[in-house]
Amino acid sequence: MEHDHSASDIEKEAVTVARPQGDVTRVEAPVTLKAYMMCVFAAFGGIFFGYDSGYISGVMGMKYFIETINGPGATFLPSKEKSLITSILSAGTFFGALMGGDLADWVGRRPTIIFGCLVFIVGVVLQTASQSLGLIVAGRLVAGFGVGFVSAIIILYMSEIAPRKVRGAMVSGYQFCICLGLLLASCVDYGTQNRTDSGSYRIPIGLQMAWALILATGIFFLPESPRFFVKKGKLDKAAGVLSRLRDQPLDSDYVRDELAEIVANHEFEMTVVPYGNYFQQWANCFRGSIWQGGSYLRRTILGTSMQMMQQWTGINFIFYFGTTFFQQLGTIDNPFLMSLVTTLVNVCSTPISFYTMEKLGRRTLLIWGALGMLICEFIVAIVGTCKPDDTMAIKAMLAFICIYIFFFATTWGPASWVVIGEVFPLPIRAKGVALSTASNWLWNCIIAVITPYMVDEDKGNLGPKVFYIWGGLCTCCFIYAYLLVPETKGLTLEQVDQMLSESTPRTSTKWKPHTTYAAEMGMTEKTVAGHAENRSDSE
């Protein structure tokens, strides 16, 4: 393992542990404005993720785009073409997320995010230049790889640098930026829909480059994750980054205590599961028993199933196919405007989670959010089935769709991202988050492929009846959240490790930290740096 031996005396002093680290209240410095601002900017990554997911719904309904793909006189895209254009992005993001997990461990969190932005820009250029189905599909595939890198690693990065007391709110900011991206996409689509030239679809596509450039430039000036440096054995750099993140002097007790706890936790995990070679590192994600709450396998299943369940809520049916679905209802004068309204509800609702995520907790939000969504979805399905041609009934159905979006935006939207950033231990965190994000995109792709065949008039023609399916799946989400999701609010990432090993999901809300890894590992008269040297010798 690589180490840096050029630390100055003050840096060495900063990583010295002179006393037992048993005080669970002193494992992290107080929250500062600087920490807030760093996390807020990192959350900006959600904008181009959301924009890229949102613009395609409107573009596929534009007359000029339809004629560009299928020739003059064409009035709609066939189901297979809508399915391909929409799902190919998710296919790229699936593999991009998995590759991002490796890159994040090899070169760092920041370089991986910046590289993802560059790959994304290449994909956007291809899409902007497209005049046929083939090039736009190829461009969305390449852009998908970039989105996969960013969507997986930005969550990892934010979770590792955010203070524990506001980590849930900060990561929720990522979901809020996704919503902002969706809203911006709807606004741009709405503004260009009636253009009679290629600008109708090229403007919405080309604007994506701006979001990627802003994110890459900003991330370049932010610090690397201290936990990445601990993983690499560069503890002087980890101390420096913690000092910057927590806005504390390098020799502050807060910096020393937090670094000691991170290192001790990593040491403990390495005694349980050594690194091994490349394939063994991936295999470590599946070690342990499914019946043990703290096992790596259990955590991997929790992360991947959490993202699967988020897609099962059916939310992307609205954001991917909302415009064409509202067109099929036949009673809405302006489907583009209705799509914009649903996106606006999403954006305005999400900030509520900034408060509730830390006040009520992740588990509570997921349980009640799933209950609210399933009730709304069954109401939409029943109304749409019983009175499909009644204008007032359609308005009531649209109202409940908006309420359903409200429940998603305040609960499952942000909470599912927060949880996957918290449940994995440092040795497998990058790969665990990558697998979880890949699961999101895999199910995103599956839903994007099959949905047109379920609802299009020349195929399944389910129409509003499709909400019976989403309602049934949300019922599964409700049961899943109650039985399997632990409460992680107010804990450091290292304390989450302890909690998962010592409690069950249903008792996790009562669990309180009672010791630290630094105390248990006996780091009293040795430096953390020296301890890291011993670890590198054993590896």
Side-chain angles (χ1 to χ4, degrees):
M1 180 169 289
E2 184 180 3
H3 294 277
D4 189 335
H5 297 285
S6 61
S8 65
D9 291 340
I10 190 170
E11 287 172 326
K12 291 177 180 177
E13 180 184 352
V15 295
T16 300
V17 181
R19 61 188 184 284
Q21 306 296 304
D23 187 353
V24 297
T25 66
R26 293 197 53 183
V27 291
E28 190 174 88
V31 181
T32 64
L33 179 62
K34 187 176 183 179
Y36 269 115
M37 297 309 297
M38 286 183 179
C39 292
V40 165
F41 188 86
F44 186 86
I47 286 188
F48 84 75
F49 170 13
Y51 187 96
D52 195 56
S53 299
Y55 86 86
I56 197 63
S57 174
V59 165
M60 289 193 300
M62 293 178 181
K63 184 175 185 297
Y64 190 91
F65 180 77
I66 293 171
E67 292 184 344
T68 299
I69 299 299
N70 290 325
T75 58
F76 66 94
L77 291 176
S79 299
K80 64 178 182 180
E81 293 181 355
K82 284 197 295 185
S83 175
L84 176 62
I85 292 171
T86 306
S87 63
I88 196 67
L89 175 82
S90 303
T93 51
F94 173 80
F95 293 105
L98 292 177
M99 293 167 61
D102 282 330
L103 277 179
D105 273 346
W106 290 339
V107 301
R109 284 49 164 153
R110 287 170 58 252
T112 302
I113 295 170
I114 294 171
F115 178 69
C117 291
L118 298 178
V119 172
F120 177 78
I121 289 172
V122 173
V124 172
V125 170
L126 293 175
Q127 292 176 72
T128 306
S130 66
Q131 290 183 304
S132 64
L133 179 65
L135 194 54
I136 197 164
V137 167
R140 281 180 64 79
L141 178 63
V142 173
F145 275 92
V147 174
F149 286 132
V150 175
S151 62
I153 307 309
I154 204 79
I155 291 295
L156 171 67
Y157 178 69
M158 291 179 66
S159 296
E160 290 189 336
I161 70 171
R164 62 183 170 125
K165 293 180 180 178
V166 294
R167 187 176 59 242
M170 292 293 96
V171 179
S172 294
Y174 173 74
Q175 176 66 22
F176 177 63
C177 286
I178 292 176
C179 299
L180 278 180
L182 289 166
L183 177 61
L184 288 170
S186 294
C187 291
V188 175
D189 285 346
Y190 185 71
T192 65
Q193 60 174 312
N194 294 322
R195 290 179 65 108
T196 56
D197 57 20
S198 63
S200 61
Y201 70 89
R202 282 179 170 158
I203 291 173
I205 293 174
L207 272 177
Q208 299 174 97
M209 284 186 279
W211 320 135
L213 286 171
I214 293 171
L215 178 64
T217 303
I219 288 290
F220 180 80
F221 293 102
L222 293 183
E224 181 56 84
S225 164
R227 288 171 170 87
F228 169 74
F229 286 132
V230 167
K231 189 178 174 70
K232 289 294 186 180
K234 300 178 179 180
L235 301 186
D236 56 327
K237 292 185 178 181
V241 168
L242 274 176
S243 173
R244 183 178 170 190
L245 287 172
R246 304 299 180 240
D247 203 16
Q248 296 282 327
L250 192 59
D251 58 352
S252 163
D253 285 345
Y254 284 115
V255 172
R256 291 165 33 164
D257 289 355
E258 183 172 359
L259 181 58
E261 182 67 359
I262 294 171
V263 172
N265 172 251
H266 187 50
E267 291 297 313
F268 173 78
E269 295 294 342
M270 292 306 300
T271 63
V272 177
V273 181
Y275 269 118
N277 59 36
Y278 172 79
F279 296 103
Q280 288 173 328
Q281 290 176 37
W282 275 105
N284 285 343
C285 295
F286 305 96
R287 290 177 67 110
S289 169
I290 192 175
W291 306 112
Q292 295 176 347
S295 73
Y296 287 7
L297 173 62
R298 178 72 172 264
R299 299 185 201 209
T300 300
I301 291 175
L302 175 62
T304 53
S305 60
M306 174 68 68
Q307 291 297 305
M308 176 185 75
M309 290 289 175
Q310 191 208 48
Q311 290 300 307
W312 279 16
T313 63
I315 194 66
N316 279 331
F317 169 71
I318 300 296
F319 297 126
Y320 281 170
F321 303 103
T323 302
T324 52
F325 173 71
F326 296 140
Q327 287 172 338
Q328 291 171 5
L329 292 178
T331 59
I332 299 176
D333 295 332
N334 193 331
F336 282 89
L337 182 59
M338 189 62 225
S339 182
L340 181 58
V341 169
T342 58
T343 306
L344 192 59
V345 171
N346 193 28
V347 171
C348 294
S349 302
T350 301
I352 297 173
S353 67
F354 297 175
Y355 174 76
T356 57
M357 193 66 63
E358 301 300 344
K359 183 67 175 178
L360 302 179
R362 290 70 156 147
R363 175 178 166 84
T364 301
L365 289 182
L366 290 169
I367 293 173
W368 289 102
L371 180 62
M373 285 189 292
L374 73 89
I375 291 172
C376 291
E377 288 175 324
F378 280 125
I379 289 175
V380 170
I382 292 169
V383 171
T385 302
C386 297
K387 295 191 174 183
D389 301 317
D390 188 308
T391 302
M392 294 305 295
I394 295 297
K395 289 181 179 179
M397 187 173 73
L398 294 175
F400 275 100
I401 287 176
C402 289
I403 297 172
Y404 150 67
I405 293 172
F406 166 81
F407 276 112
F408 175 85
T410 54
T411 59
W412 276 83
S416 59
W417 293 110
V418 172
V419 170
I420 69 165
E422 296 175 329
V423 298
F424 294 103
L426 183 56
I428 65 164
R429 185 170 294 139
K431 291 178 173 59
V433 174
L435 283 169
S436 302
T437 308
S439 172
N440 180 292
W441 288 111
L442 174 64
W443 284 97
N444 191 308
C445 181
I446 291 171
I447 290 172
V449 168
I450 67 176
T451 298
Y453 294 95
M454 292 194 296
V455 299
D456 281 5
E457 293 175 352
D458 61 335
K459 300 296 180 183
N461 197 26
L462 287 178
K465 296 185 185 71
V466 74
F467 281 90
Y468 283 118
I469 297 175
W470 306 134
L473 292 175
C474 265
T475 304
C476 296
C477 293
F478 173 75
I479 297 171
Y480 167 86
Y482 179 75
L483 294 178
L484 297 176
V485 178
E487 183 52 73
T488 57
K489 74 168 182 174
L491 304 177
T492 66
L493 297 181
E494 289 68 40
Q495 288 168 347
V496 170
D497 280 350
Q498 288 182 321
M499 179 271 295
L500 290 173
S501 299
E502 298 175 3
S503 68
T504 66
R506 281 178 285 177
T507 61
S508 59
T509 54
K510 299 178 181 178
W511 187 89
K512 301 295 181 185
H514 50 84
T515 187
T516 66
Y517 279 102
E520 291 185 358
M521 295 294 289
M523 293 187 177
T524 55
E525 296 179 354
K526 55 179 90 171
T527 65
V528 176
H531 202 67
E533 291 291 340
N534 294 336
R535 184 183 71 219
S536 66
D537 293 340
S538 66
E539 291 175 6

